[in-house]
Amino acid sequence: MQTKLLVDYLQNYRGRPLKLMEVCGTHTAALYRSGLRNLLPPSVQLLSGPGCPVCVTPTAYIDKLVDLSRQPGHCVLSFGDMLAVPGSRDSLLSARARGGHCDFFYQPEDVLERAAREPQTTFILAAVGFETTAPVWAALAETILARGLTNIKFLTALKTMPQVLEELCRTADIDGFLCPGHVAVITGSEIFRPLAVRYHKPMVVGGFTPELLAAALCRLVSAASHKEAGLWNEYGAFVKPQGNVKAQALLQKVFTAGPASWRGLMVLPASGLYLQGPYAVLDAGSRGLDADQIPPGCSCGQVLTGRLTSRECPLFGKACMPSQPVGACMVSNEGSCRIVYEEQG
Ligand code: SF4
């Protein structure tokens, strides 16, 4: 169907009120950029979910990175977004201002060169992400072991989507889900089908261009309005039913599943990935980082589960801004609070 027809359908929807969720932070950003969110009628509420990896890292993980950055001879390396995420006491940026050692990198491979240049330093990689980026970390772990490099370790906060989606299906009042397209490239679309069946929800895997987003939203609105459960793949050019089998095999070789803490939510069983077998020697203490000390008034947990919108958080735009984030959702470019804040100018 042409995009104009799809947009017309969405704009003119007059069916029952719907609460839908885009799970992935990249979708949140793309929906704002495309202007599609603003075209939806008031009866269709589109909520942002827990699919921004930076937003869901618990404070205990940041605290551990901060502690490691202060150890003599250590340097924490992370993607830029992570540096500003508040822990219970400090962010990596504020730790650095007080003498901690941390830096950012653009791609994980950069660390190999850095570690070779500075053999006296132990580099701690802040490895966050979902199934999308986990294979990159797994490949890097393989390379580090193969080269016998001993001055690189991982602090992992890698998470997997089905468990948190199941938690949302179980506990949140959501009529249907726009499932994460990038994750599905790796996992395959079929990973979402058991949830669609078990919880009787429509689940649509979507892409990221305005055309693909419009197609996925139309499918989702149509199915949810008729209370039709099922799985639809509207990103078929890149997402296969069984996903990227090679990447899945690599993940199974390098990582094992274990409990993981999600900021503002809870510890979800088997929702984290941890280095296993010979790769475990590269781990800098990633397990058990469950404590999550959310600052008073911060509503990140409710925002990440669709119970509140960013604007409904009492701190939004007052105590919490991108220049002075209280919660993690105000830090990342894929964090819903930051996106909404910047959208309103
Ligand atoms: Fe968290 Fe800040 Fe968003 Fe409130 S405005 S939910 S404190 S990130």
Side-chain angles (χ1 to χ4, degrees):
M1 217 190 296
Q2 283 184 354
T3 306
K4 182 172 176 339
L5 291 177
L6 297 168
V7 171
D8 282 351
Y9 171 81
L10 292 171
Q11 277 185 304
N12 295 310
Y13 172 77
R14 296 291 179 268
R16 71 185 188 97
L18 299 175
K19 267 191 192 177
L20 307 174
M21 176 179 276
E22 91 273 1
V23 177
C24 150
T26 316
H27 271 149
T28 304
L31 282 161
Y32 272 100
R33 262 200 318 273
S34 69
L36 273 171
R37 188 182 290 270
N38 294 333
L39 296 179
L40 295 172
S43 55
V44 178
Q45 201 181 359
L46 195 51
L47 301 158
S48 301
C52 154
V54 168
C55 301
V56 294
T57 51
T59 55
Y61 178 76
I62 304 295
D63 292 347
K64 176 94 178 181
L65 288 174
V66 165
D67 290 345
L68 288 165
S69 79
R70 289 181 174 139
Q71 280 190 19
H74 284 61
C75 179
V76 171
L77 295 177
S78 88
F79 289 123
D81 279 1
M82 281 295 293
L83 294 175
V85 176
S88 69
R89 308 178 300 273
D90 273 314
S91 65
L92 282 168
L93 277 181
S94 56
R96 184 164 70 182
R98 286 200 274 274
H101 298 282
C102 60
D103 212 342
F104 66 90
F105 59 91
Y106 292 107
Q107 49 188 5
E109 293 77 14
D110 295 347
V111 78
L112 297 172
E113 201 187 308
R114 181 101 188 250
R117 264 201 332 263
E118 300 173 49
Q120 305 308 324
T121 303
T122 298
F123 290 95
I124 309 292
L125 302 185
V128 302
F130 295 110
E131 291 94 331
T132 325
T133 43
V136 177
W137 296 114
L140 185 62
E142 275 200 318
T143 305
I144 291 167
L145 269 201
R147 294 189 188 175
L149 300 171
T150 54
N151 63 332
I152 305 175
K153 304 278 181 203
F154 292 75
L155 197 71
T156 61
L158 296 166
K159 293 181 165 62
T160 49
M161 270 290 154
Q163 295 78 8
V164 74
L165 252 181
E166 173 146 29
E167 182 65 16
L168 290 169
C169 286
R170 234 175 32 82
T171 61
D173 177 24
I174 308 285
D175 296 303
F177 294 90
L178 177 60
C179 295
H182 289 145
V183 164
V185 170
I186 303 297
T187 62
S189 54
E190 284 300 309
I191 198 159
F192 302 114
R193 190 180 295 283
L195 295 175
V197 172
R198 193 174 312 140
Y199 295 97
H200 201 76
K201 304 275 184 194
M203 299 204 165
V204 180
V205 178
F208 299 90
T209 63
E211 296 75 18
L212 289 172
L213 282 169
L217 282 180
C218 278
R219 179 72 73 187
L220 189 56
V221 167
S222 167
S225 68
H226 296 101
K227 299 193 175 178
E228 197 181 347
L231 172 72
W232 289 266
N233 182 4
E234 294 287 347
Y235 197 27
F238 292 97
V239 174
K240 303 301 167 213
Q242 304 312 324
N244 182 333
V245 177
K246 223 168 138 187
Q248 291 166 23
L250 180 62
L251 290 182
Q252 276 171 18
K253 180 174 158 197
V254 176
F255 296 115
T256 185
S261 174
W262 296 64
R263 183 177 286 235
L265 305 177
M266 57 171 66
V267 176
L268 296 177
S271 67
L273 294 176
Y274 299 94
L275 291 160
Q276 68 162 341
Y279 305 97
V281 72
L282 300 174
D283 188 84
S286 309
R287 286 182 182 267
L289 301 176
D290 298 339
D292 197 20
Q293 293 178 33
I294 296 299
C298 168
S299 310
C300 283
Q302 289 99 309
V303 169
L304 290 164
T305 50
R307 290 175 174 86
L308 281 185
T309 64
S310 297
R311 285 196 182 86
E312 288 169 337
C313 171
L315 305 188
F316 179 83
K318 300 179 188 109
C320 185
M321 290 174 276
S323 59
Q324 189 187 319
V326 175
C329 302
M330 192 56 93
V331 176
S332 166
N333 288 329
E334 296 191 348
S336 56
C337 296
R338 176 158 185 171
I339 291 169
V340 173
Y341 184 89
E342 290 186 342
E343 170 80 1
Q344 70 181 14

